[in-house]
Amino acid sequence: MTAPAVNDTEILARYEAVIGIEVHCQLRTASKMFCGCSTAYADAAPNTHVCPVCLGLPGTLPVINRRAVEHVIATGLAIDATVPERTQWERKNYFYPDLPKGYQISQYAIPLEGDGRLTFGTSAGEFTVRIRRAHLEEDTAKLVHAELPDGSRASLVDFNRSGAPLMEIVTEADIRSAEQARRYAEELQLLLRAIGVSDADMERGQMRVEANVSLRPRGTEPFGTRVEVKNMNSFRSVERAIGFEIERQGRALDAGEPLAMETRGWDDGRQATYRMRSKETSEDYRYFPDPDLPPLHVEEAWIAGIRAELPELPAARRLRYEALGITAYDAAVIVADPTMRVAFESISGAGRDVPAKEVANFVTGAHARALKGAPANEGGTAGSSTPEGIATLLHAIVDGRVSRPVGRDLLDRHLADGTAAEALIAGAGAPPIGDDAALLEHVDAVIAANPKAVADYAAGKPVIGFFVGLVMKATRGAADAARVTELVRGRLDGGD
Ligand code: ADP
Ligand code: MG
Ligand code: ZN
């Protein structure tokens, strides 16, 4: 018998989802976490970025990568976390062919960062997730399951990634929906990129998101049995995988089936999670302080120096944009898109004093469309256009030197071939008719020439647009349609 159709919303009426997210991200450093091997192995042949340390050979000693520590401290400052006076390195013991030492150097009892938070917008408003900890560890090697020339199958190990610096960031189980989880991951990526600690590309494995998902009956406190979901390589799959788990667990609970604490993988092709293994517990790893590495003391002055180097964070930038008069929505869109952000900054900074709202509308609209055909130049604007040219044209529109429709046309031309803004404005002919007296001459002429339409208007027919169209035609677009509409209505309603 097939299970009755159940959907998310029906399950969520009875159960509340409880979700915590663990993110691993590769830190942007020149060398690995505990040796001098280069991290630029992305396109390198297997096992070309290795040394005795990251191959786990006996008798070698790890040396801490200072930059990696600084990246975690910078992240901690950006999420308002606290740094302990002293942190330590611990061995997480387990066997796997991608881990030659038989342990991973990590942090357990004393993470480098604790008690942070991240706030972001969702469809239901702002949401804050508490971040339990962020710590530093080393990445594992990579297993490649391959078919050999003789047709046999083998698992090969590429140690290029072995020992690359990884930061793990763990939230409290504060998240209550798949959408919040996706938004958290997106905001975290934005933040990591803004402070330059990671490229955080999910598809390239530089940012790996794992979701812990459980359900509890609405109105109850204790957490239910959780499942850990791995192998999601896009934000969309994070949202989908959690949605799938909520539904799967809801059905199981309804059917009275016990849930197992397990690790599941996300299969993007089947759009389903599948069981990988039962979940290990921390006791299984026998953590203990690594005798090869002394505790790490983090001096106040070191933190202060890193704080001083922090750029403007996405949240602060959004607030600054809103204060300039941009809607919260547009501010979020622009801040989340590096290309839009650069264009917004360069056009706003071109010294033409264009209202921020005009610039925002332009970069999210016409300019975003233009970028699809012509990639951004060094100034951050499309093709051979310039921030100054764009700002000059926007200013001409705001100033009334050209009408809005004409201005839009000039902007499109500037974007298409970079024609100088002043030349475009000069070639656009007569400036728009700004004063009402001149406009009224056209309005009156059009009304006088169309008595039938005037009668239609009196009879309640929607003919305003007809008159406005005629005036726009008579002025060859050099009038403000909104103002013309007001004037036509005023005249037809018996004004003088
Ligand atoms: P692990 O040792 O498996 O990493 P942690 O206790 O560190 O487990 O928790 C990992 C993540 O799972 C955290 O984000 C935490 O908030 C979340 N979490 C813990 N218990 C639950 C639960 N019952 N349901 C959902 N998430 C949970
Ligand atoms: Mg964990
Ligand atoms: Zn090495």
Side-chain angles (χ1 to χ4, degrees), residues 22 24 92 108 132-133 135 137 168-170 210 212 226 228 230 279 285 287:
E22 292 171 87
H24 284 87
K92 178 180 182 178
Y108 182 63
R132 181 185 296 174
R133 57 186 284 153
H135 74 246
E137 59 191 32
E168 179 176 337
I169 305 170
V170 184
E210 290 160 25
N212 291 269
R226 77 174 140 131
E228 184 182 77
K230 290 180 183 292
K279 173 89 183 118
Y285 294 121
Y287 283 96

Side-chain angles (χ1 to χ4, degrees), residues 230-250:
K230 290 180 183 292
N231 297 348
M232 300 163 289
N233 63 2
S234 68
F235 294 116
R236 212 173 60 149
S237 39
V238 170
E239 190 162 358
R240 293 264 175 90
I242 294 172
F244 179 91
E245 266 308 300
I246 291 172
E247 186 166 335
R248 187 188 70 82
Q249 293 182 20

Side-chain angles (χ1 to χ4, degrees), residues 32 35 37 50-51 54:
K32 292 187 183 179
C35 63
C37 291
V50 294
C51 74
C54 56

Side-chain angles (χ1 to χ4, degrees), residues 183-196 198 200 207 235 313-315 318 332 334-338 341:
R183 287 290 303 116
Y184 166 73
E186 288 173 343
E187 181 70 13
L188 186 63
Q189 180 193 59
L190 185 62
L191 185 75
L192 297 173
R193 288 180 171 175
I195 60 178
S198 175
M207 175 169 164
F235 294 116
L313 303 179
R318 283 193 293 260
I334 295 170
V335 171
D337 184 317
R341 199 186 68 220

Side-chain angles (χ1 to χ4, degrees), residues 32 34-38 49-55 159 162-163:
K32 292 187 183 179
F34 297 111
C35 63
C37 291
S38 157
H49 288 52
V50 294
C51 74
V53 172
C54 56
L55 284 171
F159 286 94
S162 176

Side-chain angles (χ1 to χ4, degrees), residues 194-329:
I195 60 178
V197 303
S198 175
D199 294 329
D201 188 328
M202 281 187 78
E203 268 141 50
R204 301 180 65 188
Q206 296 162 330
M207 175 169 164
R208 306 165 211 158
V209 179
E210 290 160 25
N212 291 269
V213 184
S214 66
L215 295 186
R216 63 182 171 192
R218 286 211 174 263
T220 65
E221 274 293 314
F223 287 171
T225 303
R226 77 174 140 131
V227 159
E228 184 182 77
V229 189
K230 290 180 183 292
N231 297 348
M232 300 163 289
N233 63 2
S234 68
F235 294 116
R236 212 173 60 149
S237 39
V238 170
E239 190 162 358
R240 293 264 175 90
I242 294 172
F244 179 91
E245 266 308 300
I246 291 172
E247 186 166 335
R248 187 188 70 82
Q249 293 182 20
R251 284 184 194 221
L253 292 173
D254 280 348
E257 292 164 14
L259 285 167
M261 178 140 155
E262 61 188 3
T263 299
R264 297 176 73 88
W266 171 245
D267 182 333
D268 217 31
R270 287 177 40 237
Q271 294 281 298
T273 64
Y274 58 92
R275 182 187 153 88
M276 294 171 81
R277 56 176 178 265
S278 71
K279 173 89 183 118
E280 321 76 4
T281 61
S282 56
E283 294 81 63
D284 295 335
Y285 294 121
R286 311 295 300 210
Y287 283 96
F288 68 89
D290 192 314
D292 288 343
L293 287 160
L296 183 71
H297 294 267
V298 184
E299 307 281 330
E300 274 303 322
W302 194 19
I303 299 176
I306 296 167
R307 190 191 296 278
E309 294 288 309
L310 275 185
E312 183 177 41
L313 303 179
R317 189 182 286 268
R318 283 193 293 260
L319 286 177
R320 181 164 66 80
Y321 285 3
E322 285 176 46
L324 293 173
I326 299 178
T327 63
Y329 181 83

